[in-house]
Amino acid sequence: MYYACCSYFTLELKSLMRRFKRPKIFYGWWIVGNGFILQLLASALFFNSTGAYASALHEAYGWSNTSLNLGFSLNRVESGILGPIQGWAIDKFGPSIMIRIGAVLLGGGLILFSQIDSLWQFYVAYSLLAIGAGLAGFMTLTVAVVNWFKAKRARAIGLMQTGFALGGMFAFLVVLSIDNIGWSKTVLIAGIIVIIIGQIVAGFIYHRPEDRGDTVDGEIDDTYKATDENQEFTSSIDDSGDFTTREALRTPTFWFLSLGHAASVLIVGTVIANLYLHARDDLGYSYWEVGVISFIISVSQVFGLIGGGYIGDKVNKRGLLVVCMLAHVLGLFLLAFAGERSLISFIILLAFAIIHGLAWGVRPAVTQALRADYFGRTNFGKIMGFSSMIIMIGMTLGPLIAGLISDWRGDYKIAFTVIALIALLGSIFFWLSKPPTKKVRLAT
């Protein structure tokens, strides 16, 4: 009944949209737009609000930094373990059904999160949040976009991910809401919003251009035609050079690219989970002031996503990723040694926000575009799923290491320094991620 109601509402909305005359737009950009909406929701109400939730829980229950960061780390472990299964399911059943399930789990997890009063309940709620955010999030949406684009792949992924960056700006509203009505009511409202909007948007997501009689990049081709009355199509796009999952896993490029990606999210995960804890507890800044820093990060990320996606389609992607990693490391050093609240300290934090935000904006779109360029679109979901098992190591270890060292030493300077030095390896891994070679099969 629930699914039928959502489907009916989506069909009615589509019918209403057809009544208005509008210029022909390649449907791939509508996929990007819907992905943008989902990324904005997940970012504003979950990912970029993680630090604010952590600070509120620390203040309400007195839980240690290690305990809170352990919860954030565990949800990344679950996402990584489920990666190959999720990748297979996306390639098999398509992104739309995964988004519907993910939106229900993410929204339900937020509603459950609003009712917690013990540490074990926090871990359970965050586990549910992690699964939901993964199913309706970056991997699922990236697979859809990769299947619709080739020539402008980096730009398309970058624009879709701009929603995530803008969500960081709207996370400032979450901080204000926590200040005014409390974290519990804020999270409850967020859960309801995610469920409703997630179901609507999912109806507009198609797995491949062939599903609605279109082609990759919207290119017109006379050899592209319907094969039967059910509107199943055959595309002239040659996917014969695409890697199978097994072939991709056997290349050094797969592992170097995944390790470089893991090194980058080592820093991203650390900043997401610990920015508010470090800036408020160690440096003496208020919720509002840290919210400004978070806002600047998101603004810079938007510029990075838009500009990086365009540049990524024009220049050497590996070299661009190396530069991004060096910027990530520099930004974390600035955050570590900003010093207690003062004008100079705030200027240093602003520099960190701009550098970190730009690197964070450029790097994801270029990384995924490079992975798709190397291995093709046919098995991209499964290949990306296996990559997530390696990537989650960085996202898991970052917050956990930061929490342990900060509890041991009493501040984040050493923790951030250690993480920055480890992340330097990412620049090496990205540079070693050269185009893979594929063994030629002899046809009989």
Side-chain angles (χ1 to χ4, degrees), residues 31-43 47-48 133 136-142 145 153-168 261 265 268 298 301-306 309 357 360-369 384:
I31 300 291
V32 171
N34 284 288
F36 174 97
I37 294 172
L38 289 172
Q39 287 285 275
L40 188 148
L41 280 177
S43 172
F47 288 107
N48 276 298
F138 182 65
M139 182 191 296
T140 303
L141 297 171
T142 300
V145 172
R153 187 171 279 159
R155 268 170 279 186
I157 297 174
L159 288 173
M160 185 264 290
Q161 274 296 95
T162 303
F164 190 94
L166 289 176
H261 199 159
V265 297
V268 170
S298 299
Q301 191 181 2
V302 169
F303 282 102
L305 282 162
I306 296 174
W360 190 7
V362 173
R363 193 256 315 150
V366 176
T367 303
Q368 298 299 349
M384 190 175 172

Side-chain angles (χ1 to χ4, degrees), residues 21-91:
K21 293 182 178 180
R22 60 184 185 274
K24 178 68 175 178
I25 299 176
F26 174 46
Y27 197 83
W29 295 114
W30 293 103
I31 300 291
V32 171
N34 284 288
F36 174 97
I37 294 172
L38 289 172
Q39 287 285 275
L40 188 148
L41 280 177
S43 172
L45 303 178
F46 178 48
F47 288 107
N48 276 298
S49 297
T50 293
Y53 295 150
S55 186
L57 292 173
H58 179 72
E59 186 175 321
Y61 300 113
W63 297 336
S64 68
N65 294 343
T66 302
S67 298
L68 291 168
N69 279 282
L70 179 61
F72 303 140
S73 297
L74 286 176
N75 79 64
R76 293 302 172 188
V77 172
E78 292 172 357
S79 300
I81 293 174
L82 290 175
I85 300 174
Q86 181 183 346
W88 170 83
I90 297 169
D91 286 341

Side-chain angles (χ1 to χ4, degrees), residues 136-182:
F138 182 65
M139 182 191 296
T140 303
L141 297 171
T142 300
V143 171
V145 172
V146 161
N147 277 289
W148 280 82
F149 291 90
K150 185 174 183 180
K152 299 179 179 178
R153 187 171 279 159
R155 268 170 279 186
I157 297 174
L159 288 173
M160 185 264 290
Q161 274 296 95
T162 303
F164 190 94
L166 289 176
M169 299 180 192
F170 284 95
F172 185 71
L173 298 178
V174 174
V175 173
L176 293 178
S177 179
I178 292 174
D179 265 344
N180 286 277
I181 66 173

